[in-house]
Amino acid sequence: ASPFYRPSPPTTSTSCRTYLRLDMLSVAAPTRISARAPAARGLRAQRPLPTVTRRTVRASPRCEVAVGDQAPDFTLMGPGFKPYSLSDYKGEKVVVTFFPAAFSGDANDGCQCHLTQFKSIAESGVNVIGITKDSPFVMGPWQEFLGASFPTLSDFTLEVASQYCGTFDLGQFLDNLSVSTGFTGYTASNRAVVVLDEDHKVIYTWVGKDGKGESSPGLLPPVDEVRSALGM
């Protein structure tokens, strides 16, 4: 069983399960650490070392775009460094879905299932675009692994994610689960879905967050709601 996710009863008609994170993402207050070099006997005291501030990164699950907004255009690289722009789909509905990472070990239970849910939407003729932080080198193998006909794109600067859905500290999430150590500070996009109409105005948004409003990457998008927004 995956240490990242725990299955809960299905909430949609899809065969994929909804996964919940086993614990909540804790956010500690900033801690100030001051280090001073000891003075040697008979010698002049050393200059104090700079004060170091250790901070944890608070999750930012709020979707930056809202229903009724004009979606910001973007151009990102996909497999083979091929550029894809939102404007390429002018006059067509688009589902833009963000996921934290590709090939992330046990976390693939969530990321793979997340994107697999959208294969049927893409196969029905609706444009689907997957976006993550991973490099363009990863996009080809990941897309092949999924068996997806829609493109998965590299938002390696997280500029698009910041505009659309916000980011969270994936490294801290993994550190808190004792999966990693010292990974805090590695930021990724929130798990999210933004649905656009033919004019690329936002008609639906969803961002994975818990009851406290904090990023919760273990939650999967409610595909039935996405289908409803698309009029399917």
Side-chain angles (χ1 to χ4, degrees):
S2 166
F4 296 91
Y5 303 94
R6 178 174 59 203
S8 66
T11 58
T12 72
S13 60
T14 178
S15 60
C16 286
R17 297 172 294 177
T18 298
Y19 289 84
L20 298 176
R21 203 180 68 198
L22 292 178
D23 71 339
M24 295 299 180
L25 182 63
S26 61
V27 180
T31 303
R32 295 185 64 83
I33 304 173
S34 180
R36 293 179 178 275
R41 179 175 297 177
L43 296 177
R44 184 177 177 180
Q46 298 289 327
R47 178 180 296 179
L49 295 175
T51 298
V52 177
T53 301
R54 178 179 299 164
R55 298 182 183 275
T56 57
V57 180
R58 178 172 294 276
S60 177
R62 185 178 67 83
C63 198
E64 296 296 331
V65 295
V67 172
D69 288 350
Q70 187 69 42
D73 194 18
F74 59 80
T75 299
L76 297 173
M77 288 182 286
F81 295 91
K82 178 181 177 180
Y84 290 80
S85 297
L86 179 61
S87 57
D88 294 340
Y89 303 91
K90 185 177 181 180
E92 302 175 8
K93 292 181 179 179
V94 183
V95 176
V96 185
T97 185
F98 295 82
F99 59 101
F103 295 117
S104 48
D106 287 328
N108 277 342
D109 291 348
C111 291
Q112 181 182 357
C113 192
H114 170 167
L115 295 179
T116 299
Q117 293 182 101
F118 288 90
K119 289 171 66 175
S120 62
I121 294 178
E123 289 167 358
S124 70
V126 177
N127 299 298
V128 176
I129 300 173
I131 297 178
T132 188
K133 180 180 180 176
D134 292 299
S135 76
F137 295 106
V138 178
M139 295 301 97
W142 175 245
Q143 195 169 319
E144 183 178 353
F145 173 76
L146 294 172
S149 59
F150 58 87
T152 54
L153 309 181
S154 171
D155 182 23
F156 60 91
T157 66
L158 292 176
E159 179 179 354
V160 178
S162 297
Q163 290 179 311
Y164 274 74
C165 63
T167 61
F168 80 108
D169 192 334
L170 176 60
Q172 185 182 61
F173 172 70
L174 297 177
D175 280 355
N176 286 349
L177 289 177
S178 299
V179 172
S180 59
T181 302
F183 200 28
T184 294
Y186 182 85
T187 307
S189 67
N190 283 314
R191 196 182 297 281
V193 181
V194 179
V195 180
L196 311 178
D197 67 11
E198 292 86 349
D199 297 321
H200 291 178
K201 287 193 174 182
V202 179
I203 58 176
Y204 172 84
T205 65
W206 175 88
V207 180
K209 57 184 178 180
D210 60 25
K212 297 180 180 180
E214 299 290 348
S215 297
S216 185
L219 298 177
L220 294 181
V223 178
D224 283 353
E225 291 185 8
V226 176
R227 287 180 172 275
S228 179
L230 291 166
M232 301 177 66

